[in-house]
Amino acid sequence: MTENIGVLGKKKSPQPTGVERVVNAPLPTVYGKFQAIGYLDHDRGDEQVALVYGEIGTDEVLTRLHSECLTGDAFGSQHCECGDQLDAAMRAVVAEGRGIVVYLRGHEGRGIGLLAKLRAMALQAEGLDTVEANLALGLPVDARDYGVAAEILHDLGVASVRLMSNNPRKREALIDHGIQVVEEVPLLIPPCENNITYLRTKRERLDHRLPHLDADRKRE
């Protein structure tokens, strides 16, 4: 077997893999005081953060896996419900007295990136739905990987969660990576004129559980 030898004839150290906890810092927010635990994802090259509130323990921890959404989280876009979901999740964790929000960078636009998401949004403005737009760009409908979220939860000592999500794929991914999901907690945001079509597409084509949209349809 050939040894891993560098240019100077010395053995090279193997590259680290997986997630590495790098820093833990207090983060006072408008919701309450969280601990921001920063991670480096060596496999994917992303920096990740888990916002932890209270003494979380190991079991049945109220948890949100929140995919990065610059337009929704920072700019207040009404194209999606992401910013409102992040707000609701952080409020719920504080009300619970303990919990975790794992903010997943690299998930912009269901994993296609910011510029590609904006291109997809432009196509949606022309009449395509969110699935059709991604496919028209030659991109996957959903490229997100939740393995890093499971690694972070394992690092935090969490064995089981109450998962705040309407997306069954998140539950399946956590279970596949050894995290028990004891309950799925809906995170239902009232739709608006600008996102109702997008939300219906998520329900009808991406299997998101959005029963409140039925009530909205009856009011039309």
Side-chain angles (χ1 to χ4, degrees):
M1 178 181 295
T2 302
E3 290 189 275
N4 190 15
I5 304 295
V7 293
L8 298 180
K10 297 180 180 179
K11 290 184 179 180
K12 292 192 292 185
S13 300
Q15 293 296 316
T17 59
V19 296
E20 175 189 2
R21 188 191 296 207
V22 175
V23 63
N24 185 348
L27 184 70
T29 74
V30 295
Y31 312 99
K33 189 174 182 179
F34 287 76
Q35 289 293 315
I37 303 178
Y39 291 87
L40 180 58
D41 180 357
H42 291 287
D43 295 331
R44 303 163 188 85
D46 293 317
E47 296 174 331
Q48 306 288 2
V49 64
L51 303 180
V52 176
Y53 187 83
E55 297 295 327
I56 58 174
T58 61
D59 295 311
E60 301 188 11
V61 183
L62 187 63
T63 299
R64 167 71 176 166
L65 310 184
H66 190 84
S67 294
E68 176 183 27
C69 178
L70 179 67
T71 52
D73 299 339
F75 301 151
S77 169
Q78 290 188 328
H79 181 269
C80 62
E81 81 279 42
C82 299
D84 289 335
Q85 284 189 317
L86 180 59
D87 175 81
M90 294 185 71
R91 292 185 188 280
V93 162
V94 172
E96 180 85 0
R98 67 181 185 120
I100 305 168
V101 176
V102 181
Y103 194 87
L104 292 164
R105 302 189 67 203
H107 276 204
E108 189 78 51
R110 298 196 302 274
I112 64 174
L114 177 60
L115 296 184
K117 181 177 83 168
L118 293 177
R119 293 188 181 101
M121 288 169 62
L123 291 177
Q124 290 170 64
E126 296 175 1
L128 299 186
D129 67 31
T130 183
V131 171
E132 294 166 343
N134 280 32
L135 295 176
L137 292 169
L139 298 170
V141 173
D142 192 338
R144 290 174 293 182
D145 179 356
Y146 298 101
V148 65
E151 291 184 62
I152 288 171
L153 292 175
H154 282 302
D155 178 76
L156 294 172
V158 173
S160 66
V161 299
R162 296 169 54 231
L163 182 64
M164 288 186 283
S165 179
N166 310 318
N167 183 356
R169 290 182 177 85
K170 290 184 180 181
R171 175 182 181 274
E172 295 164 4
L174 287 184
I175 292 173
D176 287 344
H177 287 88
I179 300 293
Q180 184 181 3
V181 179
V182 298
E183 181 184 1
E184 291 180 78
V185 180
L187 203 57
L188 305 177
I189 305 300
C192 69
E193 179 183 356
N194 292 314
N195 66 22
I196 183 63
T197 299
Y198 170 79
L199 293 176
R200 285 174 179 161
T201 301
K202 288 212 300 184
R203 182 181 68 174
E204 294 161 11
R205 303 197 64 180
L206 299 174
D207 301 322
H208 287 224
R209 299 187 179 104
L210 301 169
H212 65 309
L213 300 185
D214 293 325
D216 182 78
R217 187 181 292 274
K218 292 175 183 177
R219 290 195 295 267
E220 293 179 347

